Amino acid sequence: MTTPRRAALVTLAAFALPAMTTTHAQPSAPAAPAELQPVVPQPQLRGSGVLRFFGLRVYEARLWVKPGFEPADYARQPLGLELSYDRKLEGAAIAERSVAEMRRVGKFEDAQAARWLALMKQAFPDVVPGDRLLGLHDGGGSVRFFHNGRQTAAVSDAEYARLFFGIWLAPQTSAPALRESLLGLAR
């Protein structure tokens, strides 16, 4: 015969156990995008984080690097920055916002901004939830962009590479917590 108190404890334990298991379970690491292999062989996930705007998830970012990656020298090292979108966004708006964020990292002329904006409008199509954009930097100034595994644009410009990836990785970023998470510096 079971007492009401014992029945309540058994029921509570049945509900608490799955919750505890879920809370403590480690999520499996995502697979590295195949596009990384030519530039970042044996890629390691350095860090990941979520960008939120007014509390809403915009995308999850992942930084893929080679062993021995040095965060302070990100502009001269091979890396891949992967963004997995949770929202529908226009590619032109992503490109325009990128130019504005690049201006936080460093100064550049309006003529450069116009060239880079045109490049990014080609590189960044409209995205919907589940879409993935990947920026791949070879460490020497060459950058290639991919949308869901298909290359959309390429440029060889070390200053562009430094400023573009600086949106997320430079100390001047507008998202310092995301930067810390990507670089594995989060506490």
Side-chain angles (χ1 to χ4, degrees):
M1 202 167 184
T2 306
T3 66
R5 181 174 180 216
R6 184 174 175 164
L9 289 173
V10 169
T11 302
L12 180 61
F15 285 110
L17 185 58
M20 289 174 22
T21 303
T22 302
T23 301
H24 297 295
Q26 294 295 323
S28 59
E35 307 92 293
L36 289 170
Q37 287 304 316
V39 174
V40 187
Q42 301 175 337
Q44 296 178 340
L45 180 61
R46 177 69 183 217
S48 65
V50 173
L51 179 74
R52 295 181 186 278
F53 186 69
F54 289 117
L56 301 173
R57 280 178 63 113
V58 178
Y59 58 72
E60 180 177 354
R62 294 183 190 100
L63 180 62
W64 298 95
V65 299
K66 289 172 56 171
F69 176 81
E70 290 295 329
D73 199 24
Y74 72 87
R76 289 186 280 228
Q77 297 175 79
L79 60 87
L81 183 72
E82 178 184 25
L83 305 179
S84 297
Y85 282 84
D86 295 308
R87 296 237 159 302
K88 179 180 178 180
L89 295 171
E90 293 180 4
I94 296 170
E96 290 166 6
R97 182 66 184 181
S98 295
V99 169
E101 291 296 323
M102 289 167 70
R103 288 193 187 279
R104 292 178 66 90
V105 179
K107 295 180 182 186
F108 49 92
E109 300 295 322
D110 289 341
Q112 283 176 305
R115 283 192 308 276
W116 293 341
L117 180 60
L119 165 77
M120 290 186 288
K121 283 183 176 181
Q122 175 188 346
F124 308 145
D126 296 348
V127 295
V128 296
D131 277 358
R132 184 175 57 85
L133 295 179
L134 174 72
L136 183 58
H137 179 235
D138 72 352
S142 291
V143 178
R144 292 187 292 157
F145 291 104
F146 298 84
H147 173 245
N148 294 332
R150 182 182 63 80
Q151 186 170 325
T152 56
V155 64
S156 185
D157 182 335
E159 185 65 0
Y160 172 80
R162 180 182 73 81
L163 296 170
F164 178 77
F165 289 102
I167 292 171
W168 296 271
L169 304 178
Q172 303 88 337
T173 182
S174 63
L178 178 58
R179 174 183 181 264
E180 287 184 0
S181 293
L182 288 171
L183 293 175
L185 306 173
R187 296 177 188 142

